[in-house]
Amino acid sequence: MKATINKIILTNRDKVLFPKCGITKQQVFHYYENIANAMLPYLKNRPLTMQRFSKGIKEAGFFQKNAPDYFPDWIPTMKVKKKDGWVNHIICNSKDTLLYLVNQYVLTFHVALSRTDKIDYPDKLIFDIDPPKGNFQLAVKAAKVLRVFLEETLKLKAYVMTSGSEGLHIAVPIRAGNHFDVVHDFTKQIANYICNNNPTEFTTAIRKDKREGRLYMDFLRNSYAQTSVVPYSIRALENAPVAMPLYWDELNNTSLNAQYYTIDTIFKHLKTEGNPWEDFEQNAKTINAAINTMETLTN
């Protein structure tokens, strides 16, 4: 049985992608069809990395950056340089492209922190707050500490979302005026400063055996060719949790966890609360003054 939606032919619609809860490909497709208008601004003009699960989440799936040759010509792509060549990334700027990719079993969408017109210059920062297993409240604490520092000390605007997986992401819109190398060093300074001032709770140690039960504050996504999960993306976990933008006061909900919002619960929340990241781009600021502040604090 097939259904045609614009250019898209939905195939294998009854295929179960989430075996324990029974969520089908059709349900995933309809979710992305309904969330597309909210999601597309965070995909627009950014090189896409696809996370595909052709056999559902019972198997690991795979990440794919290069657009396959068999994708139709109307899917826009862009060649982006890498260390030893080029990657032909998909640029997902339309609902048709989004739904075509979902039909190709792209379950989760990851994008670069820069746009196609300034590929070496990111226009947002990401801090991935990864708590020890079962300690989401520590992630909440770290997010609040980081927000105060970013907004009150560095005079930047911070936004928060559940990752849909384990923790929280803090995103900061910035003007695309500094090279990735500068931004990477800047975010490293911030993460180290926060962790050095909270040494028993937070760490930047990459190796898990070095964390000693502390929360990992990951700044490494702020690098060329690295990605972050797109708001509203489904994660490959049972019940299909989504990466959900939040208002800051939602962190006070003691029931909140990284997988709190799913494809079944998100729309009711959006209908009543709206989009807490609606003004994200309008709050982009240059980081030059903040860089100077960090140099003062760390010297």
Side-chain angles (χ1 to χ4, degrees):
M1 187 175 184
K2 297 182 179 180
T4 302
I5 300 179
N6 296 327
K7 298 185 181 76
I8 315 306
I9 298 175
L10 175 58
T11 57
N12 299 318
R13 60 191 301 158
D14 296 324
K15 186 171 185 176
V16 174
L17 300 183
F18 295 78
K20 291 182 180 178
C21 61
I23 292 173
T24 64
K25 186 180 181 184
Q26 177 179 258
Q27 289 171 282
V28 169
F29 188 92
H30 284 167
Y31 167 75
Y32 276 116
E33 184 180 23
N34 291 326
I35 203 65
N37 290 339
M39 187 175 177
L40 282 168
Y42 307 106
L43 286 159
K44 188 175 181 181
N45 294 331
R46 297 185 187 274
L48 175 67
T49 296
M50 303 171 283
Q51 192 175 4
R52 301 175 67 180
F53 294 84
S54 58
K55 296 182 179 179
I57 69 166
K58 65 182 179 181
E59 297 192 8
F62 61 97
F63 287 90
Q64 186 171 15
K65 293 190 174 186
N66 265 308
D69 292 339
Y70 61 84
F71 276 19
D73 292 341
W74 57 264
I75 300 286
T77 61
M78 174 183 174
K79 288 189 176 181
V80 178
K81 64 181 181 295
K82 63 176 183 177
K83 186 175 181 180
D84 56 353
W86 299 85
V87 178
N88 191 32
H89 281 277
I90 289 168
I91 309 298
C92 185
N93 286 355
S94 72
K95 189 173 183 176
D96 283 339
T97 299
L98 176 68
L99 295 181
Y100 178 87
L101 297 176
V102 173
N103 192 50
Q104 297 296 317
Y105 296 97
V106 179
L107 195 62
T108 309
F109 294 77
H110 306 262
V111 289
L113 274 63
S114 59
R115 295 182 188 267
T116 53
D117 59 339
K118 289 189 174 182
I119 202 67
D120 293 309
Y121 298 85
D123 66 351
K124 61 180 175 180
L125 314 177
I126 295 288
F127 294 92
D128 186 352
I129 309 257
D130 186 12
K133 193 169 183 65
N135 195 354
F136 187 76
Q137 285 306 307
L138 187 58
V140 170
K141 181 175 182 179
K144 290 179 177 180
V145 169
L146 188 54
R147 180 199 186 188
V148 169
F149 185 74
L150 289 167
E151 295 193 344
E152 296 186 6
T153 302
L154 299 184
K155 309 303 180 185
L156 301 171
K157 181 70 172 177
Y159 294 78
V160 63
M161 79 172 184
T162 57
S163 69
S165 179
E166 299 293 337
L168 295 166
H169 285 187
I170 309 301
V172 179
I174 63 173
R175 299 282 177 86
N178 296 91
H179 193 274
F180 262 109
D181 291 344
V182 174
V183 171
H184 175 87
D185 289 344
F186 174 59
T187 55
K188 180 179 180 180
Q189 282 187 313
I190 294 170
N192 283 334
Y193 185 85
I194 295 292
C195 293
N196 288 340
N197 282 278
N198 300 271
T200 64
E201 294 181 299
F202 314 146
T203 181
T204 56
I206 297 173
R207 287 179 51 180
K208 290 187 176 181
D209 61 355
K210 298 291 186 182
R211 296 179 193 171
E212 300 172 338
R214 293 173 293 176
L215 174 141
Y216 176 46
M217 191 170 290
D218 183 1
F219 61 87
L220 296 175
R221 298 182 187 278
N222 301 288
S223 304
Y224 183 81
Q226 294 298 307
T227 63
S228 65
V229 67
V230 177
Y232 306 114
S233 281
I234 297 173
R235 307 309 298 266
L237 297 164
E238 284 296 342
N239 300 314
V242 300
M244 181 67 173
L246 304 174
Y247 294 99
W248 278 101
D249 62 5
E250 290 183 75
L251 294 186
N252 298 325
N253 177 2
T254 56
S255 298
L256 185 71
N257 59 60
Q259 300 173 32
Y260 187 79
Y261 289 101
T262 72
I263 62 171
D264 291 326
T265 63
I266 183 176
F267 291 106
K268 180 179 179 181
H269 186 76
L270 286 174
K271 184 176 181 180
T272 57
E273 301 296 336
N275 177 12
W277 286 27
E278 189 173 9
D279 60 353
F280 188 89
E281 290 189 11
Q282 294 92 307
N283 280 309
K285 298 179 181 179
T286 177
I287 61 171
N288 293 334
I291 288 173
N292 290 336
T293 300
M294 285 308 306
E295 290 178 352
T296 301
L297 289 172
T298 54
N299 289 334

